[in-house]
Amino acid sequence: MLEIHRKADSTEERYFHGKSMESIPVLTDAEGAKFWAEMPVLPLAVVEEVLLNVPPEEVVCVCRLVCREWQELVDSAPLWKEKCRRARFLPHDVTRPPADWQMFYFMSKKRHNLLKNPSAEEQFNGWQIVRNGGDRWSIQEVGENPLPDEMVKKFFVTSYHECKKLQLINLEREGYKPALLDRYQPEIHISDWYAPRWDCGCMYEICVELLNQKKQQWNEQQWHQMTHVFRDYGPGARFVRFCHGGNDTKFWAGWYGIRVTNSSVEVLPAGHARSTSPAETRPREMSPQKR
């Protein structure tokens, strides 16, 4: 019997957790010989076009095992560069292309917000309430001052004593293997939208992982975006602890404190293009990361 099984040596399997693919069907020697004898010899350009239309997991786990020529094609940068182009996965700086286009493709494809319920659509599900002072956390509807992302309809709002909530993100459970985090150290992008009221001062505070920042806003009401990117953070990163909150500064009963919504934590390949908006503001330089 001729047995062909997939090998766990692809980028997808070494560095990401995902759905396991079944082994390639077992063929007898006669069936295998007949298969290869009847298989037409295709120009590499045709093979490349076929691979560009096959799901990427099957490309690296199945197609790569067909023959040496296919293996070399699957491992080549041009194939994955073209896949990135068709999927519109573009590096932020086109003059500095990724060192590994296959890794760049899978990292970009896997991109998603690791925070659960970032915009209060599911009440407080997914959040751990750390401080619940004053009249406690509340949820309200976005009104006359919408965010750049018009899909965001709700926000969390703090009261007159300290209100904080957090999420602890397990990166390995989210599918990022330790080998990926330690060897490639992909960028971890942090984003949080906040806004004060027009009639009351408030304090905004955010602490993400080993990063601290406090910021006060007075009588402006517009939404601002706080962003940060962790780079070159060294081996050992396994969790992201995201905590934010604040309070108003006049101690008014009710919910006149800082408003927060549409938060995100994403793991991205180095140099990945980020979407921006005219309303985005640049935060002050953050304090150095602690080891």
Side-chain angles (χ1 to χ4, degrees):
M1 297 286 287
L2 174 64
E3 296 188 7
I4 306 176
H5 297 280
R6 64 186 179 90
K7 299 179 181 179
D9 61 353
S10 66
T11 295
E12 172 71 9
E13 294 188 282
R14 279 180 293 169
Y15 300 121
F16 301 99
H17 294 300
K19 295 181 179 179
S20 297
M21 299 185 62
E22 298 295 329
S23 297
I24 299 175
V26 176
L27 303 177
T28 64
D29 291 339
E31 290 172 335
K34 181 180 179 182
F35 172 80
W36 293 113
E38 295 179 353
M39 184 176 180
V41 178
L42 300 175
L44 284 182
V46 175
V47 176
E48 181 176 6
E49 186 61 33
V50 171
L51 296 178
L52 288 170
N53 289 277
V54 172
E57 294 81 5
E58 295 184 18
V59 170
V60 296
C61 296
V62 178
C63 299
R64 187 175 181 273
L65 305 181
V66 170
C67 63
R68 184 179 298 276
E69 287 184 339
W70 282 36
Q71 177 182 347
E72 292 176 352
L73 186 57
V74 170
D75 291 343
S76 68
L79 177 73
W80 296 99
K81 183 177 181 179
E82 178 61 18
K83 271 189 169 290
C84 288
R85 188 190 69 81
R86 295 189 182 189
R88 298 184 179 180
F89 297 153
L90 304 176
H92 180 66
D93 185 353
V94 295
T95 65
R96 301 176 61 185
D100 187 334
W101 279 99
Q102 184 180 145
M103 174 63 70
F104 184 84
Y105 176 86
F106 279 109
M107 287 291 301
S108 301
K109 181 173 179 288
K110 191 175 180 60
R111 176 182 180 177
H112 67 288
N113 190 355
L114 303 181
L115 287 174
K116 314 302 181 186
N117 185 30
S119 303
E121 293 296 336
E122 302 175 26
Q123 296 296 308
F124 291 96
N125 288 343
W127 292 95
Q128 176 186 344
I129 303 299
V130 181
R131 297 284 187 273
N132 217 5
D135 284 328
R136 303 192 293 183
W137 279 99
S138 183
I139 294 174
Q140 297 180 2
E141 299 283 339
V142 174
E144 298 179 354
N145 293 284
L147 285 88
D149 183 355
E150 296 182 355
M151 297 298 293
V152 179
K153 302 298 183 183
K154 296 181 180 180
F155 58 80
F156 303 97
V157 59
T158 61
S159 189
Y160 57 89
H161 277 306
E162 188 178 38
C163 295
K164 287 185 179 179
K165 57 186 177 68
L166 70 83
Q167 289 191 33
L168 182 64
I169 299 169
N170 186 323
L171 295 175
E172 188 168 2
R173 288 182 182 176
E174 292 293 335
Y176 299 97
K177 291 185 178 180
L180 168 75
L181 298 170
D182 292 345
R183 179 177 178 182
Y184 287 93
Q185 296 187 32
E187 297 175 352
I188 300 176
H189 287 235
I190 310 300
S191 175
D192 197 25
W193 287 88
Y194 64 95
R197 288 176 57 95
W198 66 272
D199 54 355
C200 182
C202 55
M203 184 177 71
Y204 168 71
E205 180 179 354
I206 182 171
C207 175
V208 182
E209 185 70 356
L210 301 177
L211 173 69
N212 293 281
Q213 173 137 358
K214 294 183 178 180
K215 194 169 185 178
Q216 290 186 337
Q217 289 289 326
W218 281 89
N219 301 337
E220 186 183 355
Q221 200 177 7
Q222 296 299 315
W223 287 96
H224 300 272
Q225 186 182 23
M226 178 67 67
T227 62
H228 180 71
V229 179
F230 288 98
R231 296 186 178 94
D232 302 323
Y233 41 81
R238 299 295 181 268
F239 296 88
V240 177
R241 183 178 182 271
F242 184 102
C243 181
H244 66 177
N247 54 268
D248 76 50
T249 56
K250 293 189 176 181
F251 302 98
W252 289 353
W255 300 277
Y256 294 86
I258 200 71
R259 300 171 290 172
V260 293
T261 190
N262 202 28
S263 312
S264 70
V265 175
E266 297 178 310
V267 179
L268 303 176
H272 194 285
R274 293 186 64 252
S275 59
T276 58
S277 67
E280 181 174 319
T281 59
R282 185 178 299 276
R284 295 179 299 176
E285 184 177 355
M286 297 189 174
S287 57
Q289 304 166 32
K290 298 180 182 178
R291 297 292 183 184

